[in-house]
Amino acid sequence: MNAYVGTTPVTPRWGKAVEVNALWYNALRIVEYFAIKFRDAATAKAMDRLALKVYTSFNSVFWNEKKGLVADCVQRERKDLSIRPNQILAMSLSFPVLQKKCWPVVLQTITQELFTPFGLRTLSKRSKSYRGRYYGDRLKRSQAEHQGTVWAWLMGPYVRAYLKTYGSAQPIREKLLKLFEP
């Protein structure tokens, strides 16, 4: 989400970004894992304590039950509830920061609003900022880069979140494969 036109960000993101918090929580849990493995109880305990604080805060601040999505970024009481794919990282990483009970509704929202057989859109088509085509001069391309164009790399986190949510039994794998048929 780092496209700029001159010095103005195309996708202004203020405050705390969902993917940064998901990656931070994951990093804390990885450090805790290695601290346990290397018998460093003090570090493991410190990482666990901090990770629990991040987890609790994340789920109370970022989760929006009414809309069935995770806020893209938050700053105090201000929340950007744009439907973007960054929220998939809150559940697809090895140590997900989003509570498991939220996963099915988040996947449903992402599937309905962002999924294409080639990747995930960077913004829902229903957003007034949506620009689904990456074309034109540098200015037009920058304006479209994170405003709806499809990014193929997001399919990895999507598939991982899908399998973590629903399991990997044959019927689930077949349903997932059908999504890619078109």
Side-chain angles (χ1 to χ4, degrees):
M1 301 290 182
N2 59 352
Y4 279 80
V5 174
T7 58
T8 306
V10 175
T11 309
R13 296 182 83 218
W14 31 257
K16 299 164 183 75
V18 61
E19 72 278 8
V20 173
N21 279 268
L23 290 164
W24 172 239
Y25 177 79
N26 202 62
L28 292 170
R29 289 296 185 196
I30 289 169
V31 172
E32 176 193 22
Y33 169 82
F34 281 109
I36 291 168
K37 198 163 189 68
F38 295 118
R39 295 184 176 95
D40 181 349
T43 299
K45 186 176 180 179
M47 293 301 105
D48 180 54
R49 194 176 322 117
L50 185 53
L52 286 172
K53 188 175 180 180
V54 171
Y55 182 88
T56 302
S57 178
F58 180 91
N59 283 284
S60 68
V61 172
F62 280 85
W63 175 239
N64 185 294
E65 181 82 35
K66 187 176 178 184
K67 297 218 178 222
L69 59 86
V70 179
D72 186 51
C73 53
V74 298
Q75 186 175 40
R76 293 186 183 94
E77 300 303 315
R78 184 175 159 196
K79 296 180 183 185
D80 180 354
L81 297 178
S82 300
I83 301 173
R84 295 191 177 276
N86 308 50
Q87 64 186 304
I88 198 78
L89 294 178
M91 52 198 271
S92 65
L93 296 171
S94 296
F95 299 97
V97 69
L98 182 63
Q99 0 179 23
K100 195 169 188 164
K101 71 179 186 177
C102 303
W103 297 1
V105 73
V106 170
L107 271 175
Q108 182 179 0
T109 299
I110 288 173
T111 302
Q112 290 173 345
E113 298 288 334
L114 304 175
F115 183 87
T116 77
F118 304 103
L120 298 182
R121 288 182 188 90
T122 51
L123 183 63
S124 170
K125 285 176 131 179
R126 293 190 295 147
S127 172
K128 63 182 177 191
S129 300
Y130 178 78
R131 305 276 184 278
R133 294 188 59 214
Y134 184 81
Y135 70 97
D137 61 21
R138 182 170 154 71
L139 174 64
K140 284 201 179 294
R141 289 192 319 269
S142 289
Q143 290 171 333
E145 191 172 6
H146 300 289
Q147 301 298 78
T149 55
V150 173
W151 289 68
W153 78 268
L154 292 164
M155 278 309 209
Y158 176 84
V159 168
R160 187 160 189 209
Y162 197 98
L163 293 172
K164 285 173 77 170
T165 301
Y166 299 114
S168 59
Q170 187 63 28
I172 299 297
R173 290 195 317 258
E174 287 172 11
K175 184 177 179 181
L176 189 56
L177 285 171
K178 282 194 183 291
L179 289 173
F180 293 95
E181 279 182 3

